Amino acid sequence: MTNRLRVLRAERRWSQAALAGRLSVSRQTVNAIENEKYDPSLPLAFKLGEVFGLSIEEIFQPNGAAPPAA
Amino acid sequence: MTNTPSEAPAEWPYWSLFLFGHFGGASAGSRRLNVEIYTSLAARGGSRVGRIRSAAGFNARRREESDAFLSGTNVNEAVDPAPTEPLGREGVTAVGRCRSSESMRRIDSFLDSSPNGRKTLSCDPRDFHHGLLTLLVGAMLAAPWLGTVLPGGKLFLIPGTALAVGWILFAFRRYLAQLDELSLRIQYEAIAFSFGMTLLLGVTAASASSVTHLTVHPGWIVMAEPLRGLGLVLAARKYR
């Protein structure tokens, strides 16, 4: 899975810790997701979508797939 | 062969020292020593409100003031960082939940500060109380061995062991309950690694005993704990 988490976070000028606080997870978890070392659970993916105001498909894409057009 | 009061079972000193030292001494409140499972003795399971879950101890980086500066090469740290974690790398308790008590203040005054000037002692008085309880359990566990020296101590063998093991399992379960999903996954991978390696090494040693004439002591199971620590290191590196 690839994701746009780093870009979305940078757009909002949030630190990893700030995003982790909003998601109630550790900063390490945010870092692992951003670096694509770890795929989040479905509840956490939904929470990410809720935090960024986007759908899951707009944040996560299968490897090689282009993000859906806005 | 039965043990007389003057005849100590050979394995009890090792078991008692291992468990007493492992879960007792280091859990008395110092975050500097509270690596990983020791925090279980201070962890409050159930409520996730106002807490930042630990990121598997040694793999979590403490936020410093310098994090406020945005790197030109990456965007990992934005210009609006979260406040510095008050309790160090474990960073378990949110600032608003910190409370103090007279007993904690007394203990706090005896402990050194960390190199950056912050106290390494947790501000939660329950850390201290749980530490004391653990010391008590450790003492009970040591009682059977002491009882081989002191008459009547064997009466504590079964209740002491049951209480100690039960408390350790309860504390560990409570520790797991307050982790986030990645930290939990790291813990599970470490437990799986520990189980597999302990089994593999135990079976290998037992199989080789006919050749090497070395016997496998039941206390070998204690090796599961350092192997779990090794598993934690490996699993945490995987997700770094």
Side-chain angles (χ1 to χ4, degrees):
Chain A
M1 295 284 286
T2 59
N3 67 74
R4 298 171 55 225
L5 207 59
R6 186 169 300 210
V7 175
L8 294 168
R9 185 172 60 77
E11 283 172 0
R12 288 157 180 79
R13 302 177 74 79
W14 291 345
S15 65
Q16 286 185 344
L19 178 58
R22 286 166 189 266
L23 297 168
S24 298
V25 297
S26 63
R27 192 193 65 84
Q28 185 198 25
T29 301
V30 172
N31 186 58
I33 296 171
E34 277 191 6
N35 290 320
E36 293 164 11
K37 298 263 179 77
Y38 173 68
D39 292 330
S41 66
L42 207 50
L44 183 55
F46 273 111
K47 208 165 182 180
L48 275 163
E50 189 183 316
V51 164
F52 288 115
L54 298 169
S55 64
I56 292 178
E57 295 88 345
E58 289 173 297
I59 302 173
F60 296 96
Q61 297 85 38
N63 276 333
Chain B
M1 179 180 165
T2 57
N3 291 314
T4 61
S6 59
E7 195 177 4
E11 64 268 29
W12 267 110
Y14 304 107
W15 280 99
S16 303
L17 282 173
F18 173 78
L19 289 168
F20 184 79
H22 201 75
F23 296 103
S27 66
S30 171
R31 288 277 168 184
R32 194 167 31 189
L33 296 176
N34 279 359
V35 181
E36 221 269 319
I37 192 171
Y38 305 127
T39 56
S40 68
L41 299 159
R44 282 171 284 173
S47 171
R48 295 185 172 220
V49 179
R51 308 196 67 199
I52 299 170
R53 260 71 69 198
S54 164
F58 37 79
N59 200 32
R61 184 176 66 86
R62 182 178 186 149
R63 289 193 70 78
E64 304 292 354
E65 300 300 333
S66 58
D67 286 348
F69 299 103
L70 181 64
S71 163
T73 55
N74 66 60
V75 290
N76 276 342
E77 313 297 346
V79 292
D80 182 27
T84 306
E85 290 171 8
L87 298 178
R89 292 157 69 93
E90 296 293 328
V92 209
T93 311
V95 183
R97 296 288 291 271
C98 289
R99 290 193 297 271
S100 190
S101 68
E102 189 53 41
S103 58
M104 286 301 289
R105 278 192 290 274
R106 278 202 302 272
I107 293 291
D108 192 49
S109 64
F110 288 105
L111 291 181
D112 293 331
S113 295
S114 58
N116 59 6
R118 293 185 181 90
K119 292 283 185 183
T120 52
L121 186 67
S122 163
C123 62
D124 191 333
R126 275 180 270 194
D127 286 13
F128 177 65
H129 298 138
H130 286 155
L132 280 185
L133 187 56
T134 311
L135 284 171
L136 183 67
V137 170
M140 284 196 72
L141 192 70
W145 175 60
L146 292 173
T148 59
V149 184
L150 304 171
K154 281 186 177 177
L155 292 173
F156 294 101
L157 179 65
I158 293 173
T161 307
L163 184 62
V165 172
W167 171 253
I168 288 163
L169 291 177
F170 171 74
F172 189 60
R173 187 173 175 277
R174 205 168 46 164
Y175 169 67
L176 292 181
Q178 51 95 49
L179 294 178
D180 75 343
E181 60 180 57
L182 178 58
S183 304
L184 203 55
R185 184 179 180 138
I186 289 170
Q187 290 288 339
Y188 287 155
E189 287 187 12
I191 291 169
F193 176 83
S194 166
F195 181 82
M197 286 300 287
T198 306
L199 193 68
L200 183 69
L201 293 174
V203 167
T204 305
S207 304
S209 63
S210 58
V211 180
T212 61
H213 304 291
L214 293 172
T215 55
V216 181
H217 191 274
W220 171 258
I221 198 73
V222 168
M223 277 301 290
E225 181 54 23
L227 285 170
R228 193 179 70 87
L230 179 62
L232 271 177
V233 172
L234 296 175
R237 288 176 75 90
K238 191 169 117 184
Y239 295 108
R240 186 172 287 171

